[in-house]
Amino acid sequence: MKKPPVVPLVIPRSAAVANGTAPGQVGAKPRPSFPVQLPQPVVLAQKPRAGGSPPPGAGRTQTAAPVARPLRTNTSPVATGLGMDSQAVRASMVRKLEAQGISSPQVLAAMRAVERHRFVDSALANQGYEDTSLPIGLGQTISKPSVVARMTELLCQGRPEKLGRVLEIGTGCGYQAAVLSHLSREVYSIERLRGLHERARENLRWFRLANVHLLFGDGMLGYAKGAPYAAIIAAAGGNDIPQAWLDQLAVGGRLVAPAETDAGRQNLVVIDKTSTGLVRTVLEAVLFVPLKSGVG
Ligand code: SAH
């Protein structure tokens, strides 16, 4: 891909962030109907049910595929041992994020609202609010809160209103998607590992986030049906930013993703699509799981 010229932006630079393991609004466009499908393979997304109380251990979707080792879900406050106290622990996590330089009130509010401990195995729930990445199964990790907050703040920077449609590549356990649901009108989140796609669906059922649409497929292709996107975020890093993401970004939109830089290291990269072209800014070093093509 031909790299656009690098133009410095006013983006606060914080200390290097690792996930722990090593302007503008989109114009009105009709939403795709559901279930939605990615080109290959077939994808089924199920809208969360409307109304009623959250159903711990609610039934599986028709699309659930057998996985070799069942991934455990964590929907019970009793099982986590955190219960109602999790609110105080989250408030403490948010104070630490503020101390680390996160200043957007909307982002801080979203981080305060989403119960991270519900996205990890119950055995790890007591670490749910530590600034650490945690295993979520199938060799993948949930990014640490400071990375989620940092990337989310970059996405929202200069855009005090809710974002329009947002595309996330790498649903994982669904935590980042839940955070984004508070800050945008619609979230489309793609995962290439069916076991995690299903687990995210289970995790998110509790929250009844009607604006989160989970897709199973290869996120390197983006999701053209939802384009153009006000924002695109990836939690997995490749050699470069796939062209499909750049094509599907709205003019005035922003992309935040880890990518390999010339030095062969991973950095957080911000790409703004302006009316005159792409503006690419390389930020701090990060360490994310690899972006892989195809599905598994
Ligand atoms: N945002 C997630 C982080 C998960 S880790 C969370 O909050 O939990 C990154 C995820 O990206 C992994 O689940 C991995 O399977 C997924 N991934 C890697 N390459 C991908 C691709 N091409 N398409 C979709 N997902 C991909």
Side-chain angles (χ1 to χ4, degrees):
M1 189 198 73
K2 197 171 157 227
K3 283 189 182 166
V6 175
V7 178
L9 282 187
V10 187
I11 296 175
R13 204 183 163 101
S14 69
V17 186
N19 80 346
T21 50
Q25 208 74 331
V26 177
K29 188 177 180 242
R31 276 174 48 195
S33 57
F34 292 89
V36 288
Q37 297 199 326
L38 286 181
Q40 277 297 327
V42 172
V43 177
L44 273 176
Q46 181 182 297
K47 278 175 98 166
R49 292 176 305 173
S53 59
R60 301 194 138 268
T61 68
Q62 322 98 304
T63 55
V67 286
R69 188 168 51 84
L71 293 165
R72 287 164 60 188
T73 58
N74 179 14
T75 52
S76 159
V78 176
T80 64
L82 280 170
M84 297 304 287
D85 293 344
S86 76
Q87 210 171 335
V89 190
R90 262 192 318 287
S92 159
M93 175 190 84
V94 168
R95 280 194 295 276
K96 286 179 195 151
L97 292 175
E98 278 184 283
Q100 286 177 273
I102 303 297
S103 62
S104 156
Q106 300 100 305
V107 172
L108 292 169
M111 298 296 293
R112 197 178 290 114
V114 180
E115 297 173 305
R116 188 172 185 262
H117 70 273
R118 294 191 186 281
F119 291 85
V120 295
D121 194 280
S122 48
L124 298 171
N126 60 354
Q127 294 175 61
Y129 299 103
E130 288 172 17
D131 196 22
T132 177
S133 61
L134 293 169
I136 54 174
L138 304 180
Q140 308 302 314
T141 54
I142 178 175
S143 305
K144 54 190 198 174
S146 57
V147 170
V148 171
R150 166 73 168 152
M151 292 179 80
T152 309
E153 186 166 70
L154 285 169
L155 273 193
C156 297
Q157 198 173 47
R159 302 196 277 184
E161 315 252 296
K162 269 197 176 184
L163 299 170
R165 287 189 295 274
V166 175
L167 176 67
E168 180 193 25
I169 293 92
T171 311
C173 63
Y175 175 69
Q176 172 82 71
V179 171
L180 290 169
S181 78
H182 290 258
L183 300 160
S184 52
R185 287 207 296 274
E186 305 288 339
V187 180
Y188 297 87
S189 182
I190 309 177
E191 173 56 54
R192 65 176 291 277
L193 296 176
R194 188 179 281 280
L196 285 178
H197 166 71
E198 296 298 341
R199 179 177 183 169
R201 190 183 298 294
E202 292 287 331
N203 289 342
L204 287 167
R205 188 168 284 134
W206 170 273
F207 296 94
R208 300 191 172 284
L209 302 171
N211 65 341
V212 176
H213 312 292
L214 299 183
L215 308 159
F216 169 59
D218 182 359
M220 286 183 79
L221 306 173
Y223 179 58
K225 280 189 182 169
Y229 297 99
I232 298 180
I233 182 169
N239 295 339
D240 212 339
I241 307 295
Q243 185 62 39
W245 302 357
L246 302 176
D247 295 344
Q248 292 171 23
L249 190 62
V251 172
R254 174 174 273 195
L255 181 154
V256 178
E260 237 176 66
T261 55
D262 295 339
R265 299 167 68 152
Q266 239 184 22
N267 286 76
L268 214 49
V269 171
V270 171
I271 296 181
D272 288 301
K273 196 177 209 176
T274 72
S275 53
T276 53
L278 300 171
V279 181
R280 180 183 170 112
T281 310
V282 177
L283 299 173
E284 64 264 25
V286 285
L287 193 52
F288 280 80
V289 295
L291 181 71
K292 294 186 175 172
S293 60
V295 292

